[in-house]
Amino acid sequence: MPVWRRILDVSMPVDLSYIPIGLACGILLNASGFNFWTTLLVSVMVFSGGAQFLIASLLATNSPMYSIVLMLFFLELRYALLGASLSKYLHGRSLGFTALFAASMNDENYALNYLKFSTDKKFTPDDALKVEHMTLLFWTVSNLVGSLIGKAVHIDLTVVHFALTALFLYMIVMQLKEWLLIFICILSAFLAIFFLVLTKSTLGLVISTLVASFIGFLIEATIRKYNPNSSLIHPMKNPAGSPVEESDDVDINEE
């Protein structure tokens, strides 16, 4: 099997999922003032759907550049942790290779590569880099097609705000597995309103994010030190049950 076909087989689930999301992102970028070439640049240099939706929204509201840069920095800070978990598979590689690998990594291809590294001994860092570039190709082409569609279809800029809000609400809901996280989310919402009113700019969002994160860190560290069994920091029980719980019930019934 040719190398490109093997890499395509590995990355196909992510590649296909990028088509509708990339089209929507390209349309929103066009509605925010991006032309074909700037869409190409931002797709390649900022390989993150959440970041590109954020850029489109902030530019649509005429946010200052420093606010956009700071928001992107904190949004993408999670890649430091993702990169650290993959670093053990990149030992012996040059700094240039590592930099290129890091520049084209995102959440989805990270998950693919980590799974392949963990389960396939023949999977190499070169293969992982090709997976990143394959997903980047699908994402970029989808963005560009969406940008062309956006030129032919008038998009109300209010859609940009709706899309971004829906995206980040989904990201929040998918992480609400502990009571402490729910508390911090509610706290951050009140802090965001307070600092937005106080600063009268989107810089308030940056400040509220830092303050809420710091408070959450202090609370979690305190609980883990003095009451590690607290339900606040342990995953909430799924009312629908889980495969493990079901298997445990079967074992109990059999006994």
Side-chain angles (χ1 to χ4, degrees), residues 28 36 42 48-49 53 68 70 99 101 103-104 109-110 114 119 149 152 164 199 204 223 246:
L28 294 178
F36 181 88
V42 76
S48 170
F53 276 103
I68 297 175
L70 286 175
F101 187 93
S104 50
N109 58 45
Y110 160 81
Y114 192 87
T119 59
I149 294 175
L164 183 70
T199 62
I223 293 176
E246 291 172 1

Side-chain angles (χ1 to χ4, degrees), residues 179-217:
W179 287 110
L180 179 59
L181 288 177
I182 296 178
F183 169 74
I184 296 302
C185 285
I186 297 174
L187 175 64
S188 63
F190 283 103
L191 289 175
I193 296 173
F194 173 77
F195 284 110
L196 280 173
V197 173
L198 184 65
T199 62
K200 297 181 180 179
S201 73
T202 51
L203 181 62
L205 294 177
V206 178
I207 298 174
S208 63
T209 300
L210 292 176
V211 173
S213 299
F214 183 69
I215 293 175
F217 170 77

Side-chain angles (χ1 to χ4, degrees), residues 159 163 170 174 185 247:
V159 176
Y170 169 78
M174 291 302 293
C185 285
S247 63

Side-chain angles (χ1 to χ4, degrees), residues 38-87:
T38 51
T39 299
L40 173 62
L41 286 176
V42 76
S43 300
V44 174
M45 299 180 67
V46 186
F47 186 18
S48 170
Q52 289 182 217
F53 276 103
L54 181 63
I55 291 173
S57 177
L58 293 178
L59 288 178
T61 56
N62 297 316
S63 299
M65 186 57 64
Y66 70 85
S67 178
I68 297 175
V69 172
L70 286 175
M71 291 292 289
L72 289 178
F73 173 76
F74 290 110
L75 176 65
E76 305 298 272
L77 197 57
R78 68 188 184 280
Y79 287 129
L81 297 176
L82 300 184
S85 66
L86 281 180
S87 62

Side-chain angles (χ1 to χ4, degrees), residues 165-177:
T165 302
L167 172 67
F168 282 94
L169 281 176
Y170 169 78
M171 294 174 65
I172 291 174
V173 170
M174 291 302 293
Q175 298 182 61
L176 294 182
K177 299 179 181 179

